[in-house]
Amino acid sequence: MACSCLALFKTICLVLLYVQSCVCGETEILGGKEVKAHSMPYMVLLLNRTGQPVCGGTLLSSRWVLTAAHCLRITAVRLGVHSIKKSQNYESVQVQTYPHPKYDSGTFNHDLQLLKLNQKVEQNNTVKYLPLADPIADPLEGTTCLVAGWGLVDNTTNTMSDVLKSAEVDVMGRETCNSSTYWKSQPVITPDMVCAGPQGKNEDQDTCKGDSGGPLLCNGVQVGVTSFGVAGCRRHKKPGVYTFLSKQHIEWINKTMGEPALHLSVVLCLTTGVCGETEIFGGKEVKDHSMPYMVLLLNSTGQPVCGGTLLSSRWVLTAAHCTDNPCVGFFASITEVRLGVDSFKKSQNDESVQVQKDVKTYPHPEYDNHRKVHDLQLLKVS
Ligand SMILES: *[C@@H]1O[C@H](CO)[C@@H](O)[C@H](O)[C@H]1NC(C)=O
Ligand SMILES: *[C@@H]1O[C@H](CO)[C@@H](O)[C@H](O)[C@H]1NC(C)=O
Ligand SMILES: *[C@@H]1O[C@H](CO)[C@@H](O)[C@H](O)[C@H]1NC(C)=O
Ligand SMILES: *[C@@H]1O[C@H](CO)[C@@H](O)[C@H](O)[C@H]1NC(C)=O
Ligand SMILES: *[C@@H]1O[C@H](CO)[C@@H](O)[C@H](O)[C@H]1NC(C)=O
Ligand SMILES: *[C@@H]1O[C@H](CO)[C@@H](O)[C@H](O)[C@H]1NC(C)=O
């Protein structure tokens, strides 16, 4: 996500508060202070594909994390973290991403994303859920709220704060925030956003890059998600902007979290448990050869990655994510199809098992890994 320098506003470089965005500003929770270790046990550290921390989030339940949509390409999270360095050997939990479908990087509308953990996490001393209130009251102008994150501390090297920090910010009315003195409708401040910034006694505190996705907490209730700010975060007249957990946002969160875990692609995918969701949990073993149309799909290292169904003598139906899946490595290839398999182990040298090694893949052209739509693929075997 690059920093979008609005043509009309050449001097003000609007940055998403994201580590990967451009380096064009000051970068920590300025003037904030280190929080007592594990005093905010619902804070989650988000890692990108190379395992580097890029954003924050909050753990809503045993399976779901709330963050900002502009935190792109998140593949895993770390829980119970205070110091990033000390957490290096913590187990990280893989996630699937559910960005808000109407998120718009141009207007910053609906900058919200849910992450589904591939395994359930239990609460303990260092890991706790922060369930959302419902409804969430619009915070009044002047309310002092708390923001937290591992925002950058060094504006030249793009490294995040090692320890979790928090800062106080004051809520500003939307009209004021939108007015010519502040954001000048660039972008437009909507009812789905909350402005809060350094004002009055908290003048030297603000969020900055790297704090993205973290919570805005007013009286202990999560009211928003850190969305965007401006280069040199502490710059006066540009309060931080947070995605408000408005009624329509809560509805989307509810709906997304409530979605049945098994969609077609998942049913088709017998996988290995790399992606928790693709396992069939608690299912029972089927009678030998009672589902003779089931086929096993293997990758180039001979590992089973997915299941499929044999539609005809040449065609197998499976999920598109079997070959384009952050959990098994992008663009994993399927190079072998085994027919008549009951046990993977036994199939290695079972003569009744048919092995096809000439496999052509035809993923659905509109498959979107991010949105989980059209997750279908045909395989042609010779
Ligand atoms: C980094 O922060 C320092 C101190 O706040 C400031 O003087 C400097 O201009 C900043 N550098 C950049 C590249 O923003
Ligand atoms: C992960 O984040 C780091 C730090 O911002 C960045 O240097 C790296 O390119 C990112 N990797 C990917 C795959 O996005
Ligand atoms: C708390 O739970 C987390 C996540 O499941 C786990 O990584 C951590 O080891 C647990 N800590 C303790 C003290 O049990
Ligand atoms: C901000 O300004 C724009 C255009 O000037 C307007 O459409 C919008 O309703 C305003 N928002 C608020 C919260 O006043
Ligand atoms: C969200 O779900 C809860 C529990 O299912 C329900 O009580 C609440 O009314 C829902 N809220 C919205 C805004 O849909
Ligand atoms: C094959 O699949 C296994 C299990 O999912 C995985 O660990 C391995 O990296 C994959 N190999 C390739 C080349 O994709």
Side-chain angles (χ1 to χ4, degrees):
M1 179 64 51
C3 130
S4 59
C5 298
L6 301 173
L8 289 171
F9 260 96
K10 291 222 169 80
T11 51
I12 296 168
C13 184
L14 192 67
V15 293
L16 293 171
L17 300 172
Y18 181 50
V19 180
Q20 268 187 313
S21 54
C22 63
V23 188
C24 55
E26 271 170 48
T27 42
E28 66 189 304
I29 283 201
L30 292 161
K33 53 180 198 292
E34 179 174 350
V35 306
K36 189 166 167 283
H38 310 299
S39 61
M40 300 176 86
Y42 44 80
M43 284 295 301
V44 177
L45 185 66
L46 275 46
L47 310 176
N48 70 7
R49 200 141 62 81
T50 44
Q52 272 142 311
V54 285
C55 275
T58 50
L59 185 66
L60 303 183
S61 69
S62 63
R63 273 314 264 274
W64 294 94
V65 169
L66 182 64
T67 185
H70 76 262
C71 296
L72 300 172
R73 295 180 290 272
I74 303 299
T75 59
V77 302
R78 228 177 264 159
L79 304 155
V81 175
H82 178 63
S83 150
I84 294 180
K85 277 196 201 104
K86 286 187 193 150
S87 76
Q88 304 288 16
N89 50 5
Y90 287 20
E91 196 191 337
S92 47
V93 182
Q94 303 287 313
V95 296
Q96 293 186 47
T97 55
Y98 294 79
H100 193 292
K102 289 197 219 142
Y103 165 59
D104 182 332
S105 58
T107 62
F108 306 99
N109 280 329
H110 311 297
D111 189 6
L112 219 50
Q113 170 168 231
L114 282 163
L115 305 175
K116 186 173 192 189
L117 307 178
N118 278 337
Q119 66 199 60
K120 283 192 174 181
V121 293
E122 306 283 339
Q123 303 193 82
N124 60 29
N125 287 344
T126 59
V127 176
K128 289 202 165 41
Y129 316 145
L130 181 69
L132 294 178
D134 180 23
I136 294 169
D138 203 359
L140 296 175
E141 184 162 1
T143 308
T144 298
C145 301
L146 197 70
V147 291
W150 290 270
L152 307 195
V153 281
D154 185 335
N155 58 4
T156 56
T157 63
N158 242 6
T159 42
M160 287 171 87
S161 159
D162 179 50
V163 293
L164 183 61
K165 291 182 152 190
S166 72
E168 288 185 336
V169 289
D170 287 356
V171 173
M172 177 187 277
R174 288 186 186 87
E175 268 175 42
T176 312
C177 186
N178 199 34
S179 71
S180 59
T181 320
Y182 296 94
W183 280 105
K184 304 187 183 174
S185 307
Q186 306 271 348
V188 168
I189 304 301
T190 73
D192 288 323
M193 298 174 183
V194 173
C195 298
Q199 291 171 43
K201 64 179 164 58
N202 299 321
E203 200 162 281
D204 56 355
Q205 306 194 355
D206 202 358
T207 42
C208 241
K209 287 197 294 179
D211 291 322
S212 278
L216 172 71
L217 297 152
C218 304
N219 302 313
V221 173
Q222 181 168 6
V223 160
V225 171
T226 304
S227 179
F228 67 90
V230 70
C233 304
R234 206 172 352 187
R235 188 180 298 201
H236 215 52
K237 315 286 188 202
K238 300 289 176 211
V241 181
Y242 300 80
T243 309
F244 178 44
L245 298 176
S246 59
K247 184 165 177 288
Q248 62 156 328
H249 283 159
I250 296 279
E251 276 167 12
W252 173 73
I253 292 168
N254 251 11
K255 195 171 128 251
T256 307
M257 288 174 59
E259 254 172 28
L262 296 184
H263 19 123
L264 178 61
S265 61
V266 168
V267 174
L268 286 174
C269 229
L270 288 174
T271 278
T272 54
V274 196
C275 251
E277 213 194 327
T278 53
E279 266 181 306
I280 293 184
F281 288 109
K284 57 179 200 294
E285 189 177 340
V286 299
K287 192 162 161 284
D288 272 11
H289 302 293
S290 62
M291 296 172 82
Y293 44 81
M294 283 299 299
V295 301
L296 186 64
L297 310 175
L298 295 87
N299 69 11
S300 56
T301 47
Q303 299 291 314
V305 282
C306 273
T309 49
L310 187 64
L311 301 183
S312 70
S313 64
R314 304 276 305 265
W315 293 95
V316 169
L317 179 65
T318 185
H321 78 253
C322 294
T323 52
D324 177 8
N325 184 341
C327 301
V328 295
F330 280 98
F331 309 114
S333 57
I334 287 177
T335 57
E336 189 179 324
V337 169
R338 277 188 206 169
L339 307 151
V341 174
D342 277 315
S343 145
F344 166 61
K345 281 206 193 94
K346 278 192 255 161
S347 76
Q348 317 269 36
N349 40 24
D350 181 342
E351 278 173 15
S352 70
V353 168
Q354 286 185 49
V355 176
Q356 297 284 350
K357 291 205 172 182
D358 184 7
V359 184
K360 284 205 180 68
T361 55
Y362 298 86
H364 193 294
E366 285 158 56
Y367 165 59
D368 183 334
N369 175 29
H370 223 52
R371 294 188 178 175
K372 317 274 182 268
V373 292
H374 305 299
D375 190 3
L376 280 179
Q377 161 162 245
L378 283 163
L379 306 176
K380 193 177 183 186
V381 294
S382 56

